[in-house]
Amino acid sequence: MSKLPRISGRECIKGLEKIGFRFKRQEGSHIILRRDDTFTQIVVPDHRELDRDTLRAIIRQAGLGVDEFINLL
């Protein structure tokens, strides 16, 4: 298993958009993404650097592994 990279919220969103997530709305600094084919909704903080535990939770909610996510970036 690869080590989690240090990335921003925007970089995370760009990776998730490649697998079908789309911008739904934004509340403050939190961006809500949605995927309709297998309904999933994820909240991504728009921070300069995401905490590793937060990033790990986002990856898990998206149904990906760490290596799969890294390949999207």
Side-chain angles (χ1 to χ4, degrees), residues 2-59:
S2 298
K3 188 175 177 181
L4 281 173
R6 291 285 193 182
I7 62 171
S8 69
R10 295 286 171 152
E11 291 171 316
C12 178
I13 290 168
K14 285 180 184 177
L16 292 172
E17 285 177 339
K18 292 178 183 176
I19 59 167
F21 283 92
R22 297 288 168 240
F23 176 86
K24 181 179 179 200
R25 62 189 153 97
Q26 183 169 354
E27 293 183 15
S29 66
H30 290 80
I31 298 170
I32 292 90
L33 303 174
R34 175 184 262 179
R35 180 174 59 189
D36 291 327
D37 57 343
T38 53
F39 180 78
T40 310
Q41 191 162 291
I42 298 177
V43 177
V44 179
D46 187 18
H47 298 160
R48 283 188 195 163
E49 189 174 293
L50 293 177
D51 182 66
R52 290 211 172 136
D53 291 332
T54 303
L55 182 56
R56 191 177 311 279
I58 290 169
I59 292 169

